[in-house]
Amino acid sequence: MLERGRTLATPVLRAAVDRLAPPMDTVAAYHFGWIDAEGRPAHGDSGKAVRPALALLSAEAAGRAPEVGIPGAVAVELVHNFSLLHDDLMDGDEQRRHRDTVWKVYGPEQAILVGDALFALANEILLELGTVEAGRATRRLTTATRKLIDGQAQDIAYEHRERVTVEECLEMEGNKTGALLACAVSIGAVLGGADDHTADTLEAYGYHLGLAFQAVDDLLGIWGDPEATGKQTWSDLRQRKKSLPVVAALDAGGSASERLAEILAADAKLSDAQLADFDEEEFASRAMLIEEAGGREWTSQEARRQHATAIAALDRVDMPAEVRAQLVALADFVVVRKR
Amino acid sequence: MLERGRTLATPVLRAAVDRLAPPMDTVAAYHFGWIDAEGRPAHGDSGKAVRPALALLSAEAAGRAPEVGIPGAVAVELVHNFSLLHDDLMDGDEQRRHRDTVWKVYGPEQAILVGDALFALANEILLELGTVEAGRATRRLTTATRKLIDGQAQDIAYEHRERVTVEECLEMEGNKTGALLACAVSIGAVLGGADDHTADTLEAYGYHLGLAFQAVDDLLGIWGDPEATGKQTWSDLRQRKKSLPVVAALDAGGSASERLAEILAADAKLSDAQLADFDEEEFASRAMLIEEAGGREWTSQEARRQHATAIAALDRVDMPAEVRAQLVALADFVVVRKR
């Protein structure tokens, strides 16, 4: 199912990216893993392609052919990658999908510019369909994009705050991850002429799928295998991310929670460079405290709760049984993945 | 006419910006000159508001009330300011409208983020009208935004190239300035139900108006009064901009042209920091050579040629005489302005 999304959407995505003026077409092709930094053809990891798969299933959920969802799949993928280009720069992330990030290779200007271009291209791909449905789809995509940006703003703000509540963290993650996954699951149906009730219910599935996805991501951001994730060890701890396991551990109370709060308060006084100088063991001991305080277990349970809520939403839409089974399988994949 | 655009569009623009999540609403309010860096209400210079004025005249050109153009005026102004936020960061510009730029005051992250948010908001404002016309207007705005980004990409690329042709420079300026002004002049008409011929012809006026505007901007970027422009003296020379006067001077041939080419080739070997250390006189002598080679005069004439082409386009649209007179007056203002 992920493979089908990639196979159907990638040629259209590549044709869209080819429209960009040089050197933006090259920079984008590098970002998507189609070429290496020297411009040679590559078969890099271009992501899990969960969103394109969802957009095609979305069209099928509305009783249409999967191809109806292709422009939606491409548009959502363009917006997702616009946000990756800008977020990697804002967060100072040097690696993505086992390769140097665009700002590292081509400089900050190109990361900003190509991000902007992918965002504009997403709207262009939809609106040039010229239909009323395309207008509705673009409106939903725009709403999702605004939430995505709100979420990144919250994420940045929370990194400078000592305490963040679990509710704030979930709201931020709903914006950052839930909104665009929700849009992916509704956009194919909207392009296929589905009504607002169907689209909204599919979005509910996608939103909770996104929160499950993000809970798993937060676990992988601390305890993930760098070989599998392509990120540094303890990457979220290095970046002082107020991710779910951290926030839940701080909220839990008890001795491990209090000890963690003290350590993070002391860390907050250090510069990023000082934090980067820490030994692996320093981060390992922070991860251990988060686990002792219950942050790891709570986040695992939260992933399962969001998974269940997502599946429950599917019962409120009338769709082919085969499509429902695939949406369930995708939700199952999201919570067990290792990367 | 500029005042009317500002009066009608600003309240709607402010309401739109108020939708942004904190701290993006504050950062945007600072950028627009509504508050100062300490958050106190201010009445800063928020730009010439040429684009909002054009969007309202655009609705009137199609025989509709100016108010029909307001969402278009706001959307175009949002896209324009999205590009200013990102361009100031990419270009390292520290001052705009006599004040520190957003990235200087709030950091690069906020400049990226708020720029993204204004771009998304522009689409949102139009698409939530929910009409077929709004879909057409958003498509035109998206096309213009893509050109705007192409133009910035070309601008950055040309700064690192030794020679740029006059044609390349005009294409870049058409993308950077012409495309969005063209959109401003068509968007009100499109929202008012005008056909594609009317919209395209209005865009032709706006495109050439934009090229006239940019030719004047290029003159002000070298010979403008810093008090009036709010920019540093010789700002385009400090930034190695391949603007029209420079490119035309290099293309002209003759001894001043050759001397200029030699000096700029030597400058190209210097770092930005070394260039920034130059005395005022160094830049003044470069400006003198550009003038001697004919770059200043050619650019003045180019502004007048583009002005004439813009006015000629107006004859191909049937519109109220009063609206035509105002579009002519606006074109006249653009070429005589000092800031």
Side-chain angles (χ1 to χ4, degrees):
Chain A
M1 164 184 26
L2 292 174
E3 196 48 45
R4 181 184 74 166
R6 203 179 276 118
T7 306
L8 288 178
T10 303
V12 183
L13 182 62
R14 291 192 76 147
V17 165
D18 277 344
R19 295 186 195 180
L20 299 180
M24 296 187 290
D25 52 350
T26 304
V27 176
Y30 171 82
H31 170 76
F32 281 107
W34 304 329
I35 59 170
D36 66 19
E38 281 74 42
R40 292 173 300 223
H43 301 281
D45 177 0
S46 51
K48 287 172 285 292
V50 170
R51 292 167 193 81
L54 285 172
L56 304 192
L57 285 170
S58 170
E60 292 179 297
R64 303 293 302 270
E67 287 76 10
V68 170
I70 291 177
V74 172
V76 167
E77 202 61 359
L78 287 167
V79 165
H80 174 54
N81 284 282
F82 137 71
S83 79
L84 296 181
L85 282 167
H86 283 190
D87 289 2
D88 283 343
L89 174 59
M90 286 186 260
D91 298 341
D93 285 338
E94 302 188 355
Q95 291 269 311
R96 165 161 313 271
R97 300 169 188 158
H98 306 267
R99 307 159 79 218
D100 283 346
T101 46
V102 161
W103 70 268
K104 276 290 280 183
V105 178
Y106 300 95
E109 291 89 350
Q110 293 300 327
I112 296 171
L113 207 51
V114 176
D116 293 345
L118 295 185
F119 183 10
L121 205 50
N123 294 317
E124 191 172 286
I125 292 291
L126 288 177
L127 289 168
E128 69 192 9
L129 297 172
T131 61
V132 173
E133 288 75 26
R136 289 175 57 218
T138 313
R139 189 175 168 191
R140 282 184 185 261
L141 182 62
T142 298
T143 304
T145 308
R146 285 251 291 120
K147 288 187 182 166
L148 197 68
I149 296 165
D150 282 356
Q152 172 69 2
Q154 290 164 329
D155 200 8
I156 290 174
Y158 294 168
E159 276 169 50
H160 300 105
R161 261 172 55 182
E162 205 168 309
R163 289 301 275 266
V164 174
T165 66
V166 167
E167 289 68 32
E168 287 173 323
C169 188
L170 287 172
E171 193 201 330
M172 180 266 282
E173 297 195 340
N175 282 331
K176 259 196 104 157
T177 310
L180 194 61
L181 275 177
C183 183
V185 194
S186 71
I187 201 165
V190 170
L191 289 174
D195 61 21
D196 279 340
H197 165 75
T198 302
D200 289 344
T201 311
L202 287 169
E203 287 210 356
Y205 158 85
Y207 182 80
H208 293 287
L209 179 73
L211 281 169
F213 185 98
Q214 192 57 50
V216 173
D217 229 48
D218 285 356
L219 292 168
L220 294 174
I222 299 178
W223 295 280
D225 173 6
E227 286 284 314
T229 62
K231 294 177 181 174
Q232 272 190 293
T233 55
W234 323 112
S235 68
D236 285 0
L237 297 180
R238 292 177 196 274
Q239 288 178 46
R240 315 169 193 265
K241 288 244 180 246
K242 298 287 188 305
S243 67
L244 274 182
V246 177
V247 169
L250 290 171
D251 257 19
S255 63
S257 175
E258 284 163 22
R259 179 85 192 100
L260 179 70
E262 285 164 20
I263 290 176
L264 294 184
D267 286 356
K269 298 193 178 75
L270 302 177
S271 69
D272 288 347
Q274 286 171 311
L275 205 69
D277 268 352
F278 275 6
D279 289 337
E280 294 281 308
E281 290 71 33
E282 296 267 10
F283 292 113
S285 72
R286 281 159 182 73
M288 188 69 82
L289 280 174
I290 294 168
E291 189 159 356
E292 276 177 39
R296 186 176 190 171
E297 180 54 26
W298 187 90
T299 306
S300 294
Q301 286 177 4
E302 177 67 11
R304 287 191 290 274
R305 280 191 293 270
Q306 296 292 351
H307 174 272
T309 311
I311 302 296
L314 295 179
D315 293 334
R316 304 201 299 277
V317 188
D318 191 29
M319 68 176 84
E322 175 58 19
V323 178
R324 186 183 186 284
Q326 297 210 41
L327 289 171
V328 171
L330 213 141
D332 293 345
F333 161 75
V334 156
V335 290
V336 299
R337 75 200 162 88
K338 298 291 175 211
R339 50 167 285 231
Chain B
M1 163 187 22
L2 292 174
E3 196 48 46
R4 182 186 74 168
R6 204 181 272 118
T7 306
L8 288 178
T10 303
V12 183
L13 182 62
R14 291 192 76 145
V17 166
D18 277 344
R19 295 186 194 178
L20 298 180
M24 295 187 291
D25 51 351
T26 304
V27 176
Y30 171 81
H31 170 75
F32 282 107
W34 304 329
I35 59 171
D36 66 18
E38 281 73 44
R40 293 173 301 222
H43 300 283
D45 176 1
S46 52
K48 287 170 286 289
V50 170
R51 291 166 194 80
L54 285 173
L56 304 191
L57 285 171
S58 170
E60 292 180 296
R64 303 293 303 269
E67 287 76 10
V68 170
I70 291 177
V74 171
V76 167
E77 202 61 358
L78 287 167
V79 166
H80 174 54
N81 284 281
F82 137 70
S83 79
L84 296 182
L85 283 166
H86 283 191
D87 289 2
D88 283 344
L89 174 59
M90 286 186 260
D91 298 342
D93 285 339
E94 302 189 354
Q95 291 270 308
R96 167 163 308 276
R97 300 166 188 161
H98 307 266
R99 308 159 77 220
D100 284 344
T101 46
V102 160
W103 72 266
K104 276 290 281 182
V105 178
Y106 300 96
E109 290 89 350
Q110 293 299 327
I112 296 171
L113 208 49
V114 176
D116 292 346
L118 296 185
F119 182 11
L121 204 50
N123 293 318
E124 190 171 287
I125 292 293
L126 287 178
L127 289 168
E128 68 192 11
L129 296 172
T131 60
V132 173
E133 288 75 25
R136 289 175 57 216
T138 313
R139 188 175 169 191
R140 281 184 185 263
L141 182 63
T142 298
T143 304
T145 308
R146 284 250 293 122
K147 288 187 184 169
L148 199 67
I149 297 164
D150 282 355
Q152 173 69 3
Q154 291 165 327
D155 201 6
I156 290 174
Y158 294 169
E159 276 168 50
H160 300 104
R161 259 172 54 181
E162 205 168 310
R163 289 302 276 267
V164 174
T165 66
V166 167
E167 288 67 34
E168 285 173 327
C169 187
L170 288 172
E171 193 201 328
M172 181 264 282
E173 298 194 340
N175 282 331
K176 258 195 108 157
T177 309
L180 194 60
L181 275 177
C183 183
V185 194
S186 70
I187 201 165
V190 170
L191 290 174
D195 61 22
D196 279 339
H197 165 75
T198 302
D200 289 343
T201 312
L202 287 168
E203 287 209 355
Y205 158 84
Y207 183 79
H208 293 288
L209 179 73
L211 281 171
F213 185 98
Q214 192 56 50
V216 173
D217 230 49
D218 284 355
L219 291 169
L220 294 174
I222 299 179
W223 294 281
D225 173 5
E227 285 285 313
T229 62
K231 294 178 180 173
Q232 274 190 293
T233 53
W234 322 112
S235 67
D236 284 1
L237 297 181
R238 290 177 198 275
Q239 288 178 46
R240 314 169 195 264
K241 286 243 182 247
K242 297 287 189 305
S243 66
L244 274 183
V246 177
V247 169
L250 290 172
D251 257 18
S255 65
S257 175
E258 283 162 23
R259 179 87 192 98
L260 179 69
E262 284 164 22
I263 290 176
L264 295 184
D267 285 358
K269 299 194 176 76
L270 303 177
S271 70
D272 289 348
Q274 287 172 308
L275 206 70
D277 268 351
F278 275 5
D279 289 336
E280 293 282 308
E281 289 72 32
E282 296 265 11
F283 292 114
S285 72
R286 282 161 182 71
M288 188 67 83
L289 280 175
I290 295 168
E291 191 160 355
E292 277 177 37
R296 186 174 191 173
E297 179 55 26
W298 187 89
T299 306
S300 293
Q301 286 177 4
E302 177 66 11
R304 287 192 290 276
R305 280 191 292 270
Q306 296 292 350
H307 174 272
T309 312
I311 302 297
L314 294 178
D315 293 334
R316 304 201 299 274
V317 190
D318 191 30
M319 66 175 84
E322 175 58 19
V323 178
R324 186 182 187 284
Q326 297 209 41
L327 289 173
V328 171
L330 213 140
D332 293 345
F333 161 75
V334 156
V335 289
V336 300
R337 73 201 165 86
K338 297 292 175 210
R339 49 165 287 233

